[in-house]
Amino acid sequence: MTTTAPAPAGTGAPGRARIAARHLRTDTWWVQPAITVAVLVAFIIYSTLRAFENANYFVAPYISPFYSPCITKSCQGSSFPELFTGPSFLTPAIYILVVPLGFRLTCYYYRKAYYRAFWLSPPACAVAEPHKTYTGETRFPLVFQNIHRYFFVAGLVFNVILTYDAVLAFRDKNDHWGHMGLGTLVLLTNAALLWLYSLSCHSCRHIVGGKLKSFSKHPMRYKFWQVVSRLNGSHMKLAWVSLFGVALTDFYVRLLATGAFNDPKFF
Amino acid sequence: MTYQAKLRVWRGDAEGGGLRDYTVEVNEGEVVLDIIHRLQATQAGDLAVRWNCKAGKCGSCSAEINGRPRLLCLTRMGDFSEDEVVTITPMRTFPVIRDLVTDVSYNYEKAASIPGFTPVARDADGEHRMQQVDVERSQEFRKCIECFLCQDVCHVVRDHEDNKKVYAGPRFLMRIAELDMHPLDNLDRRKVAQENFGLGMCNITKCCSEVCPEGIHITDNALIPLKERVVDRKYDPLTWLGAKIGRRPHP
């Protein structure tokens, strides 16, 4: 998108008020991008370690969302049809990571967050960015942000699968229905948060009705658009909460799988 | 309660200038524009400032206060502590004329270049009809007072003067969205939004929405929906294929 220059560009352009400082903000504008960097880096490190650990992701009847759907013949448990045997250096998590990763990477909210926090473009409003040129999302690779709607649709398939996992968590370790433990609640909450995050997506808002010229000719789609628009107002919060939800659900399953914690049983 | 506020005001013109320190009396309930007027009246009679309604409706008194684009008339002195130095500069994205007054011609040139409202044919009885529910989205954008704070804060032109040639800025991309969503407008504006007005330059960092004194959700309700409409037209292979095989009208 940009190339780095030694000095801030822009506000020093000819004709503008001569002010040497790259910004005059006196508030703590740097806190928000700093928190974004810290949280996202922590998540990336944790999810990478877990994706390559290739163990402790299944303990009947629970499976970690990082490994679901588990589609290779080397999977622990039998939560999903095992379709093929991949090379041993690829863990089951690697095959499915691309969809949730792509969905979040191209998400309109996360784009704002990482453009600001990682690429400093801009680091905060009215704080000059350290780049000499800027082409936005008009060129490779950022022009591919425009395929967000495909990741949204693919993400819905994953939501269905994770909801299926949560339903299976009402079976006990011997596959008998009528069980519920804290893990069931954790998987259900994770699936619900992922649905809310997905349905609050800007592409979803466009698909259900935003693309229409006339709402009055499509009253049902207008209703859907209104619901999604209300959710969309909380898209940022849902993006963060669902991210924490996925990591905490995986961590909970890992605690159970390693024997560090016993799943409290409700019935 | 009255106190003496410390102000730093940018004084100068296109040839040069700098921040000057002043101490000005502040009374309870006053806004920054009141203090600028008192400064004019008591210490700096030649201080240039553009203002009109003093009610946040004309969009004239746009400036930057402590580095943040704001209206002078809507910024209360009570927002700052009494010992805080309040720095006031002109908008830093546009050429300065003098002191706090900038030349915002860029915005009017962009406004003039946008294809105007192109209505569909009238009904048989000679009327145009539309329902409130169909025009509500566009009406939000009509709240704009054209203060150009969103244009000022947008890093695409603030930090890159050369982009002014190819980028219309959030205010005018919002205008395109307003027309594209209008139930009676008949012009497909998606291609020109991307190719002529630089929608692809926007990286949706939402500063325009943060500074809008009218609280318009510029990014969420105008720019992102317009980006999605452009995807329909330019980047979605399924929509393209649907148009090719005649299953749906050309996007």
Side-chain angles (χ1 to χ4, degrees), chain A residues 104-176:
Chain A
R104 288 188 190 258
L105 211 58
T106 58
C107 163
Y108 285 100
Y109 167 68
Y110 281 110
R111 274 146 76 178
K112 172 204 162 186
Y114 65 71
Y115 284 146
R116 280 196 188 193
F118 287 88
W119 201 248
L120 309 177
S121 182
C125 301
V127 177
E129 59 176 78
H131 306 292
K132 190 177 177 185
T133 60
Y134 173 89
T135 56
E137 298 180 337
T138 59
R139 295 182 188 174
F140 178 84
L142 294 181
V143 73
F144 280 100
Q145 303 281 28
N146 289 306
I147 61 170
H148 180 54
R149 59 182 60 182
Y150 287 95
F151 282 115
F152 159 68
V153 174
L156 292 183
V157 176
F158 277 67
N159 289 354
V160 170
I161 293 166
L162 293 178
T163 307
Y164 172 72
D165 291 340
V167 171
L168 290 187
F170 283 97
R171 304 187 308 181
D172 63 18
K173 60 179 74 171
N174 300 313
D175 293 347
H176 296 132

Side-chain angles (χ1 to χ4, degrees), chain A residues 87 126 136 208 237 254-255:
Chain A
V208 299
K237 280 184 214 150
R254 190 177 189 280
L255 285 180

Side-chain angles (χ1 to χ4, degrees), chain A residues 47-58 63-72 74-76 79-80 90-94 96-97 158 161-162 165 246 250 253:
Chain A
S47 56
T48 305
L49 291 174
R50 283 292 284 147
F52 285 99
E53 185 180 3
N54 200 16
N56 302 318
Y57 57 83
F58 181 82
I63 184 165
S64 158
F66 283 0
Y67 283 81
S68 182
C70 201
I71 52 177
T72 77
S74 61
C75 287
Q76 297 173 349
S79 61
F80 203 81
L90 287 179
T91 74
I94 303 295
I96 56 173
L97 204 64
F158 277 67
I161 293 166
L162 293 178
D165 291 340
V246 171
D250 173 77
V253 173

Side-chain angles (χ1 to χ4, degrees), chain B residues 4-99:
Chain B
Q4 298 294 314
K6 299 182 201 70
L7 295 191
R8 298 183 79 200
V9 182
W10 194 87
R11 304 295 310 273
D13 55 25
E15 302 304 314
L19 292 164
R20 279 198 219 163
D21 292 320
Y22 299 95
T23 302
V24 188
E25 182 183 298
V26 175
N27 301 309
E28 192 168 355
E30 288 185 324
V31 295
V32 175
L33 185 58
D34 292 320
I35 310 310
I36 290 293
H37 283 160
R38 185 165 296 125
L39 177 62
Q40 264 184 333
T42 58
Q43 301 174 50
D46 60 343
L47 172 66
V49 58
R50 186 185 280 134
W51 68 285
N52 195 349
C53 74
K54 203 174 171 284
K57 285 296 162 197
C58 73
S60 300
C61 62
S62 303
E64 297 189 14
I65 303 168
N66 281 354
R68 306 184 78 164
R70 302 177 79 164
L71 293 181
L72 294 173
C73 72
L74 286 190
T75 307
R76 292 183 174 278
M77 286 303 291
D79 293 346
F80 310 103
S81 61
E82 292 185 7
D83 56 353
E84 186 175 353
V85 178
V86 179
T87 305
I88 304 160
T89 68
M91 291 190 283
R92 295 179 68 180
T93 298
F94 309 118
V96 69
I97 296 173
R98 210 180 110 197
D99 300 336

Side-chain angles (χ1 to χ4, degrees), chain B:
Chain B
M1 197 163 70
T2 299
Y3 69 97
Q4 298 294 314
K6 299 182 201 70
L7 295 191
R8 298 183 79 200
V9 182
W10 194 87
R11 304 295 310 273
D13 55 25
E15 302 304 314
L19 292 164
R20 279 198 219 163
D21 292 320
Y22 299 95
T23 302
V24 188
E25 182 183 298
V26 175
N27 301 309
E28 192 168 355
E30 288 185 324
V31 295
V32 175
L33 185 58
D34 292 320
I35 310 310
I36 290 293
H37 283 160
R38 185 165 296 125
L39 177 62
Q40 264 184 333
T42 58
Q43 301 174 50
D46 60 343
L47 172 66
V49 58
R50 186 185 280 134
W51 68 285
N52 195 349
C53 74
K54 203 174 171 284
K57 285 296 162 197
C58 73
S60 300
C61 62
S62 303
E64 297 189 14
I65 303 168
N66 281 354
R68 306 184 78 164
R70 302 177 79 164
L71 293 181
L72 294 173
C73 72
L74 286 190
T75 307
R76 292 183 174 278
M77 286 303 291
D79 293 346
F80 310 103
S81 61
E82 292 185 7
D83 56 353
E84 186 175 353
V85 178
V86 179
T87 305
I88 304 160
T89 68
M91 291 190 283
R92 295 179 68 180
T93 298
F94 309 118
V96 69
I97 296 173
R98 210 180 110 197
D99 300 336
L100 301 179
V101 179
T102 51
D103 175 2
V104 292
S105 306
Y106 159 73
N107 302 291
Y108 297 116
E109 286 158 16
K110 292 296 176 189
S113 66
I114 292 173
F117 179 58
T118 310
V120 295
R122 290 176 186 273
D123 295 341
D125 59 1
E127 297 291 338
H128 272 310
R129 287 185 176 82
M130 59 183 172
Q131 299 207 22
Q132 175 60 30
V133 73
D134 292 330
V135 80
E136 263 167 6
R137 282 179 297 180
S138 295
Q139 281 179 330
E140 182 191 3
F141 312 141
R142 299 290 291 183
K143 290 195 297 180
C144 175
I145 58 172
E146 301 216 315
C147 59
F148 303 129
L149 290 177
C150 60
Q151 302 283 91
D152 176 47
V153 80
C154 182
H155 72 110
V156 179
V157 285
R158 183 182 177 94
D159 294 340
H160 306 281
E161 177 74 17
D162 50 334
N163 284 341
K164 284 184 177 174
K165 294 191 287 283
V166 293
Y167 181 67
R171 194 277 166 262
F172 299 106
L173 291 169
M174 181 173 78
R175 169 70 176 154
I176 295 170
E178 175 199 327
L179 291 169
D180 205 60
M181 292 175 187
H182 196 287
L184 295 182
D185 188 77
N186 200 27
L187 200 64
D188 186 346
R189 298 159 192 280
R190 294 174 294 181
K191 197 172 175 192
V192 293
Q194 187 79 351
E195 294 175 3
N196 298 16
F197 296 100
L199 180 63
M201 307 284 274
C202 167
N203 69 345
I204 51 170
T205 40
K206 287 186 109 165
C207 289
C208 50
S209 303
E210 283 187 25
V211 301
C212 179
E214 281 292 317
I216 302 170
H217 297 94
I218 302 172
T219 318
D220 286 321
N221 289 351
L223 304 184
I224 295 175
L226 191 59
K227 273 181 176 267
E228 285 292 313
R229 285 166 180 242
V230 167
V231 175
D232 284 344
R233 177 72 175 78
K234 265 184 81 88
Y235 300 110
D236 187 336
L238 283 183
T239 316
W240 174 83
L241 190 64
K244 278 283 176 201
I245 60 176
R247 297 290 296 168
R248 60 169 75 184
H250 197 285

Side-chain angles (χ1 to χ4, degrees), chain A residues 192-209:
Chain A
L193 289 174
L194 288 172
W195 275 111
L196 288 171
Y197 169 56
S198 300
L199 295 177
S200 66
C201 156
H202 292 85
S203 287
C204 175
R205 191 180 181 215
H206 175 74
I207 291 165
V208 299

